[in-house]
Amino acid sequence: MTEKTDFGPIVSSAHLADGALPALSELEFGMTLAGNAFERWMVRCMTAAGEPGLTSIDVQVLHSANHRGRPKRLSDLCIMLGIEDTHVVIYAIKKLEKRGLVKSTRSGKEKLVGATAKGVEACIRYRSVREALLVESVKGLGLDPKAISNVAATLRALSGHYDQAARTAASL
């Protein structure tokens, strides 16, 4: 669903769209808008679920710590979320611990983080708000669930290309 106008592709930086792949600039602008909207959504959904004052990273760490009902190592949380700076996740864990939403334990030398009963309940309330306000609305678009999964797979694959390009740029 590409928007065409007399002005060319919908981008935020026309000087980048002048390159060999203008559609990539269009995708990047879409990812910027979607990423910012998704971060706003996570914060507001968690507020509606009864846990105001959390950042989008806090919400993601909580959901990840709750994922499959198993505690996660700090390094696994960072990998799952694609976060390079461990201090960002450590800060979120400390904030979530103070609120009683996650608990840290040790397994040998490794720190494990899991959702507490209060954290699991917050995730369940978040899911309820998400189902009522977002899922129903998105279902109304009539999108094929397989197409949505294909877009998700494409975004995950593109994230690998961006990561590789970032590593290369860091070495310049």
Side-chain angles (χ1 to χ4, degrees), residues 101-158:
L101 298 170
V102 300
K103 182 179 180 182
S104 296
T105 57
R106 290 240 175 243
S107 177
K109 293 182 178 182
E110 297 200 295
K111 180 178 184 175
L112 299 174
V113 180
T116 62
K118 182 180 177 186
V120 171
E121 285 300 316
C123 289
I124 290 169
R125 288 191 311 271
Y126 181 103
R127 181 180 62 203
S128 295
V129 173
R130 181 178 178 269
E131 289 289 324
L133 301 181
L134 183 65
V135 173
E136 286 303 314
S137 172
V138 171
K139 281 173 55 179
L141 294 172
L143 298 173
D144 176 18
K146 287 184 182 181
I148 294 171
S149 291
N150 288 339
V151 169
T154 300
L155 289 171
R156 287 190 303 273
L158 280 169

Side-chain angles (χ1 to χ4, degrees), residues 23-79:
L24 187 58
S25 292
E26 196 169 14
L27 175 68
E28 289 168 345
F29 185 46
M31 288 191 310
T32 298
L33 295 176
N36 290 332
F38 182 56
E39 287 187 9
R40 272 191 306 279
W41 160 252
M42 285 185 283
V43 168
R44 295 199 175 123
C45 183
M46 191 54 86
T47 297
E51 291 294 335
L54 297 179
T55 67
S56 61
I57 295 290
D58 300 334
V59 174
Q60 291 174 64
V61 169
L62 175 58
H63 284 302
S64 296
N66 185 46
H67 180 60
R68 301 195 192 277
R70 292 189 310 259
K72 311 295 181 299
R73 297 179 311 159
L74 172 63
S75 60
D76 291 334
L77 289 169
C78 291
I79 289 169

